[in-house]
Each structure stands twice: as C-alpha cells, then as structure tokens.
Amino acid sequence: VSSAQTLNRPIWLNSASGYVQVIDQRRLPHKLVIADLKTVDDTIHAIQTMYVRGAPLIGVTGAYGVYLAALTAPASDAADHLEAACAKLKAARPTAINLAWAVDRVSALVQTAADWPAKIALAREEAGRIAEEEVANCRSIGQHGLALIKPLAAQKQGPVNILTHCNAGWLACVEYGTATAPIYAAAAAGLDVHVWVDETRPLNQGSRLTAWELGQADVPHTIVTDNAGGHLMQHGQVDMVIVGTDRTTHTGDVANKIGTYLKALAAHDNDVPFYVALPSSTFDWALTDGLAQIPIEERDPDEVRLVAGLQDAVEREVLVPPATSRAANYAFDVTPARLVTGFITERGVCAATPEGVAGLFPEKIKS
Amino acid sequence: VSSAQTLNRPIWLNSASGYVQVIDQRRLPHKLVIADLKTVDDTIHAIQTMYVRGAPLIGVTGAYGVYLAALTAPASDAADHLEAACAKLKAARPTAINLAWAVDRVSALVQTAADWPAKIALAREEAGRIAEEEVANCRSIGQHGLALIKPLAAQKQGPVNILTHCNAGWLACVEYGTATAPIYAAAAAGLDVHVWVDETRPLNQGSRLTAWELGQADVPHTIVTDNAGGHLMQHGQVDMVIVGTDRTTHTGDVANKIGTYLKALAAHDNDVPFYVALPSSTFDWALTDGLAQIPIEERDPDEVRLVAGLQDAVEREVLVPPATSRAANYAFDVTPARLVTGFITERGVCAATPEGVAGLFPEKIKS
C-alpha cells in the first residue's frame, strides 16, 4: 500500500509497475488486502469472486481489464485476443450493466488507434477517464442528494435516519459512493445523520463494507438485520431510504442487491421516501421491463451456507445450516418503478418514470 | 438421550429424576444436546438464552417452571417463593403471550391444592396437560392447513412451494409445529411439497432449526436468505406462505419473528396467500392494536454481530462487522391484519379479523 489513494479508492493504476491494484473486498473489514491485477484473467477472477463489486467499480475494473488485455496480448494474434478478452470480461457478471458499458466504450476507442502501443495507451487513459468521470458523477450525486436531506434535517429534532442496503459506498464506486454520497455530503455539511445499515445477506456487504466505510468516516451508524427495516419504518425510525443499483431501466425499474424490493415495499407502506442513487452509466437505455428483462445472477449456494468472520484474530468461515440442506442464492431483485420515489443522478433528481429519466438525459433516448 | 420422544419433542419430564429435560436449541443443527432444568432459575435461563424458543414451547416450559418452583420451594416461605417465581418466569421474555398464559393457568390451579405435595403434583400434571393440549392443537392445525394445500396441489404440476420464516416447527411447539404442521400433514398425505426456508437472521432459526427438522423428516426444502422471498414471489415460485406467531391480537395483528412483516408485504404485492398458524393459546384476547400495544423485545446486539456455525467440526462464533460498529437487535415485528389471508387454528381457518376470530372462539370474547 503505497498511496493515500488506497484509503478512499478501491482501484488504481500502479504507475511504477503498469499493473492495476484493487482492495480485495472479500477480506474487509478485518484485513485490508491489496491485490494486483496483471492480466485479463486476473480481472475476470476479481470480478467473479468479488474482490471488486458494485456497479460503477465493476465498470471501471472492466475498463482496466481491456487495458490489461491489450497490454498482455501475444503479438501473433493480438486483435483476436483483445476481442475474445472483451467478450469474456462482459460475461463475468450478468446483472450490472456498467461492465458491458465500460468494456464497450474502451474497446470501441481502442479500434481507432494506429498501432498496438497506441491501443494500450488509449485503453489505459480511457479506463482512467471513466474512473474520474465516476468520481465526478458521485460527487454530483452527493450534492443533489444533500438537497433532499437538508429539508428533512430542518423538520426534525435529532438525527436524520437514513436506511441503506448493501454497499453503494466508495468501495462500490471509485470515490464518495452512490447511495453514500449524499450521506457523506450531509456529514460534511454538518448535518446530524445516522445510518441504518442492513447487514445484507448473504455476503454481508452492509455489515462488512458499509459499516467499515462509515466507521472510517466517523458517520454514526447502526447495523441491523435485513429483517429489521420494516419494523423500523413502522415505528418512524427511518426518514428516508437511499440505495444504489446494478442496473436500472430508463423506464424506472431498479435491479439491486437481493432484498431491496422488500425495503421498497416497506417504505411505500409507511410513506418513507425511497431513493435510488445512480450515475448515468448504470441506466439501461434499451430495456423497458426490469422484472421480465434484467438477468438475475444466481451464485454459489455456499455463499448462503457459509458465513465469514473473525474468531480469535483468525478469519474463518463457519457452516450455519445442516450439511445436507440445499440452499439457493439469488443475488439481485428488481424493484418496480412504482415503488421508487426518485432517482438521484449526476444531473439532479428525477421521477422513476420514462419521462423523468428522459428529462435529465434527453440525448440518451432513441426517438 | 434415553427416549425416542427426544426425536420429535423438545421438552419432556424425566420421570426417573423428576426434572425437566429440553433440547438445547442453540446447539442445533450441529450438536443434539439435552439440558436438565432443575430449578425455576434454570428454566428462566433456558427461556432467556433460547435453549427453548417458540411461543407454544415457551408456554409449556413456563408451565414446567411453575412445577420446578413448587418442587424446589423452601419449606419456610414456599408460597411467597412460588409467587415470586411465577412473576420472574412471566417476565423472562416479553413478546410471546403463551408464557404468561401458561404460568397463570398452572399457578391458578395450584392455589386450589390442599397441601404442598398436592401443589407439586397438580403443577406437574397441569404442565403435562398443557403440553398434550398443544400437541392436539398442532395436530388439528395440520389437518386444517392440509385442506388449504390440497387445492393448490391439484391446480399445478410440480411441487407446492411453501415459504416459511423462522422456526414454527415441533422444536417451537411440542409436536408437529404450527406453521410446519400443514407441511408435515401434506407430506404424510403424499402431496408434493417443497419448502423455502428463510434463514431468519439474526439467530438463523430457519437455516439451523427448520432445515434440520425438515431434513430429519425428508421434506424437500431449500434455504434462502431473508432477502430472497420477494424475488421468489415476483417470479411465481411461492404458492403460499405459512408462518407461526408469538402473539396475535384477537383483532388480527400478528407479532412474529422480525422480518415477517416484509414477507407479508411481498405476499400481498404478488397475490400469494399469507397464512398464520397458531393455537388459541397464542391469541391475545385483550389487545386490539398489535403495532401500538404488543411489546417488542430488543435483544443483545451481539446476536447480530456474531454468527455461530461449524468449522473443521468445531462449533465457533465469528464476528462479521467491524468490532467498533454498533448493532441493534429487534427480535419481532408486527404484521397488520390487512396483510394476513387467514389464521389456521385448531378449530379451523378464519379471516384475520375480529369477527373471524370470534366466530371460531366465541367463548373467549368478552361482550
């Protein structure tokens, strides 16, 4: 760990080695481990086994994967190698749209280069440009979200209680986060905020990652089971919900970590505002029915059966259910647009409707 | 473990010793450990630390606690000792109503005995009678629930998929269970049933206990995270939900394990029947507004922060979140009557309304 960057970014280019480095997020919060990505296969492995996760970060990692594929391509059939690598990268995880978006963007640009060293340089630069754009997007999301929190803070005594699910923090992005950006902005503005952190089974990205991030930033927070949010909302303990998303249709349907739909139902039943924070790179401009059309990844059932944590300073995985019981592991669900109060994007807040999204991003809509 | 009873009952009187024995449910599924309850303090400890849990079983355990209090009362101030013991027993856990109901029933009867040996005998017999009544109730619940499953089985190819939350099986009762009784009855009747088992954080009663029970009975089942039920319902993978309850108002509001409300919302949103199975001992005949009036126990946050399981054949508890992050542990929530399709009781199925409940139990309603 050579750079101060490592404490607020989960990915960076090591300019000395030319390789990419990422935080191995499987090891947090108990160990801060940095992993080298030297090849496209390293990159795919890191995406599939979730060293890196979160829609914007998967996109940036995929972009750097194109660079690594170009960097390590054999001279004999470099172009074929690069094309195959891009296809493999895009297939590494099916739900987050940022992956295909970023890989396509970098690989299209690379086509324009005159020679192979230029392709390598263009890919590296474009991956870096995507990373910086996501940083700028998240910073803007924070400011637009802050404008939603301020009136809540003005209306009440005590903290504004914000519930979030999974980790849509800087670990999932590059800096600031999506769902956490308004929270960090509110804390920086001196507002009294408190975060209910859903633990987010099966991989506990809430209790492992969001809690760690918020703790590092001294933001008050309390971990609750995924089961608790409805009860909290029934008792007036949640002022707003902010979550991230892995893919959102331009018609307003939101794919996000499994269980998001249940929190959206509870928010709707209790008149709690339910916001989704996302950069434009996470919109799917083609699909129109999230429930029918967004592919939902099914992952290894052992992620449900085994729980990782620390005992006596040793990282361990324990088996919870009987060894003979089956488990299933659906990684995402789709929250229909009707349950979403609004989207917080880099261009502002809009309704979760085709018209709302088109109003902010008119150039994306094919007429 | 001396008796075949131990494989389908979680509590029994050891007639040789005169003491009560229970399965220590904290150790399942990895170890089947039997604990002796010799005093009322043993009993309270077993209830509070959840050697025993589940509304009907807490009631039966409380009833036996009165017996143990009588059995071990000091001769000098036996009556005061018994009265204080009953008050302590009733306060051991606040949400399940069966505890107060059973303790009051046994202690009232004991008043009628002529001498102390008669009090001890009456308490022992009455506790046993309550246990047998709960067995009969659960058997009836199974038959009435079976009548709801049969038409679902007739309508479809493949298994009837039933989702349940927490453990309302024989481990939570005395035999058969409440929510599981219809499932066991359907399996016994040769119907093709498959159970989605919510793991039920924080204590994982679903993945530890319900999965173990169903596995012992060879009932097909799949463990899912508590987050997954909404997704399953959106995709037609759940034909009905059956849960138990710790306390249900006679007006229809259902206190049950935290997270039940979220599943009820999802069932309602997807037109999936949502049933609550309960013996009449779990109805609260006094309260009229579950959300406002039923006390919700808040338990040790370490139940959220630590997860118990098996590694290398050793039972361990691992810490999941950062050591410095706070957690909160609300044990129950209240599902409002409007989300409940019906109650499955020992007298039949009724609507989750004051009229529905009064129709089955007219003698309980104070006019």
Side-chain angles (χ1 to χ4, degrees), chain A residues 28-30 165 194 196 198-202 204 207-209 211-212 215 221-235 237 257-263 265-267 269-270 291-292 296 304-312 314-330 332-336 338-339, chain B residues 28-30 165 194 196 198-202 204 207-209 211-212 215 221-235 237 257-263 265-267 269-270 291-292 296 304-312 314-330 332-336 338-339:
Chain A
L28 288 173
H30 304 301
H165 190 69
H194 165 261
W196 294 111
D198 277 1
E199 59 179 5
T200 317
R201 291 279 299 141
N204 298 317
S207 52
R208 292 193 304 107
L209 304 180
W212 180 78
H221 62 281
T222 306
I223 298 161
V224 289
T225 62
D226 301 309
N227 286 323
H231 172 76
L232 292 172
M233 293 185 214
Q234 285 178 312
H235 291 274
Q237 296 296 303
K257 181 59 51 194
I258 190 84
T260 301
Y261 167 54
L262 296 172
K263 293 304 139 61
L265 285 168
D269 200 45
N270 293 284
L291 202 52
I296 300 297
V304 174
R305 293 156 39 86
L306 301 170
V307 176
L310 202 68
Q311 188 204 38
D312 296 337
V314 178
E315 293 171 285
R316 302 179 188 277
E317 274 195 332
V318 295
L319 173 72
V320 174
T324 51
S325 285
R326 282 189 54 208
N329 184 10
Y330 302 95
F332 304 94
D333 63 20
V334 173
T335 298
R338 67 184 151 86
L339 299 176
Chain B
L28 287 173
H30 304 300
H165 191 68
H194 166 261
W196 293 110
D198 276 0
E199 59 178 5
T200 318
R201 291 282 296 143
N204 297 318
S207 52
R208 293 193 303 107
L209 305 180
W212 181 78
H221 62 283
T222 306
I223 298 161
V224 288
T225 63
D226 301 310
N227 286 322
H231 172 76
L232 293 171
M233 293 185 212
Q234 286 178 311
H235 290 274
Q237 297 296 303
K257 180 59 52 195
I258 190 85
T260 301
Y261 166 54
L262 296 173
K263 294 302 140 60
L265 285 168
D269 199 45
N270 293 284
L291 201 52
I296 299 297
V304 174
R305 293 156 41 84
L306 302 170
V307 176
L310 203 68
Q311 188 206 36
D312 297 336
V314 177
E315 293 171 283
R316 302 179 189 277
E317 273 194 331
V318 295
L319 172 72
V320 175
T324 52
S325 285
R326 284 190 53 208
N329 185 9
Y330 303 94
F332 304 95
D333 63 21
V334 173
T335 297
R338 65 184 151 86
L339 299 175

Side-chain angles (χ1 to χ4, degrees), chain B:
Chain B
V1 182
S2 59
S3 155
Q5 272 194 329
T6 54
L7 292 177
N8 66 349
R9 289 196 177 191
I11 190 168
W12 59 92
L13 188 72
N14 184 317
S15 50
S17 69
Y19 297 130
V20 177
Q21 294 187 298
V22 297
I23 296 177
D24 180 352
Q25 300 191 25
R26 303 169 309 167
R27 307 292 295 277
L28 287 173
H30 304 300
K31 307 274 181 205
L32 182 61
V33 173
I34 308 299
D36 285 327
L37 307 183
K38 299 184 176 182
T39 66
V40 71
D41 286 336
D42 287 352
T43 310
I44 289 167
H45 180 76
I47 291 171
Q48 286 183 330
T49 61
M50 300 177 68
Y51 289 54
V52 296
R53 21 67 54 202
L57 176 58
I58 290 176
V60 171
T61 308
Y64 275 117
V66 181
Y67 154 68
L68 291 171
L71 184 69
T72 60
S76 58
D77 56 352
D80 288 352
H81 172 89
L82 187 60
E83 190 180 333
C86 289
K88 274 171 64 184
L89 268 171
K90 287 163 66 174
R93 293 193 69 193
T95 304
I97 192 165
N98 298 60
L99 180 57
W101 169 84
V103 168
D104 285 343
R105 175 168 152 179
V106 177
S107 65
L109 189 72
V110 161
Q111 307 291 328
T112 66
D115 57 26
W116 205 261
K119 287 184 194 289
I120 295 170
L122 260 186
R124 185 182 59 232
E125 290 159 17
E126 190 67 1
R129 198 171 297 120
I130 290 174
E132 298 306 324
E133 286 174 13
E134 293 296 23
V135 171
N137 286 341
C138 287
R139 193 187 299 115
S140 295
I141 287 169
Q143 294 306 310
H144 294 301
L146 173 60
L148 296 171
I149 299 173
K150 277 183 177 166
L152 295 175
Q155 281 165 29
K156 71 177 291 193
Q157 301 290 324
V160 175
N161 289 302
I162 301 173
L163 184 141
T164 192
H165 191 68
C166 199
N167 174 265
W170 64 257
L171 285 167
C173 301
V174 182
E175 277 187 48
Y176 307 107
T178 52
T180 57
I183 294 165
Y184 290 135
L191 300 183
D192 186 5
V193 288
H194 166 261
V195 184
W196 293 110
V197 178
D198 276 0
E199 59 178 5
T200 318
R201 291 282 296 143
L203 290 177
N204 297 318
Q205 290 95 337
S207 52
R208 293 193 303 107
L209 305 180
T210 301
W212 181 78
E213 268 198 35
L214 294 174
Q216 296 277 315
D218 283 327
V219 176
H221 62 283
T222 306
I223 298 161
V224 288
T225 63
D226 301 310
N227 286 322
H231 172 76
L232 293 171
M233 293 185 212
Q234 286 178 311
H235 290 274
Q237 297 296 303
V238 180
D239 296 303
M240 75 190 298
V241 179
I242 314 179
V243 297
T245 166
D246 297 85
R247 183 190 303 217
T248 285
T249 68
H250 69 99
T251 55
D253 297 333
V254 177
N256 191 41
K257 180 59 52 195
I258 190 85
T260 301
Y261 166 54
L262 296 173
K263 294 302 140 60
L265 285 168
H268 190 259
D269 199 45
N270 293 284
D271 293 322
V272 173
F274 184 93
Y275 285 99
V276 179
L278 73 168
S280 52
S281 54
T282 304
F283 278 111
D284 188 314
W285 304 103
L287 302 189
T288 55
D289 180 340
L291 201 52
Q293 297 171 322
I294 296 176
I296 299 297
E297 181 179 8
E298 200 174 338
R299 294 181 58 84
D300 186 341
D302 276 352
E303 292 183 349
V304 174
R305 293 156 41 84
L306 302 170
V307 176
L310 203 68
Q311 188 206 36
D312 297 336
V314 177
E315 293 171 283
R316 302 179 189 277
E317 273 194 331
V318 295
L319 172 72
V320 175
T324 52
S325 285
R326 284 190 53 208
N329 185 9
Y330 303 94
F332 304 95
D333 63 21
V334 173
T335 297
R338 65 184 151 86
L339 299 175
V340 179
T341 306
F343 294 136
I344 310 173
T345 80
E346 72 267 26
R347 292 195 188 163
V349 176
C350 70
T353 61
E355 300 73 25
V357 175
L360 285 184
F361 300 96
E363 79 280 12
K364 299 286 189 182
I365 306 300
K366 291 164 191 108
S367 57

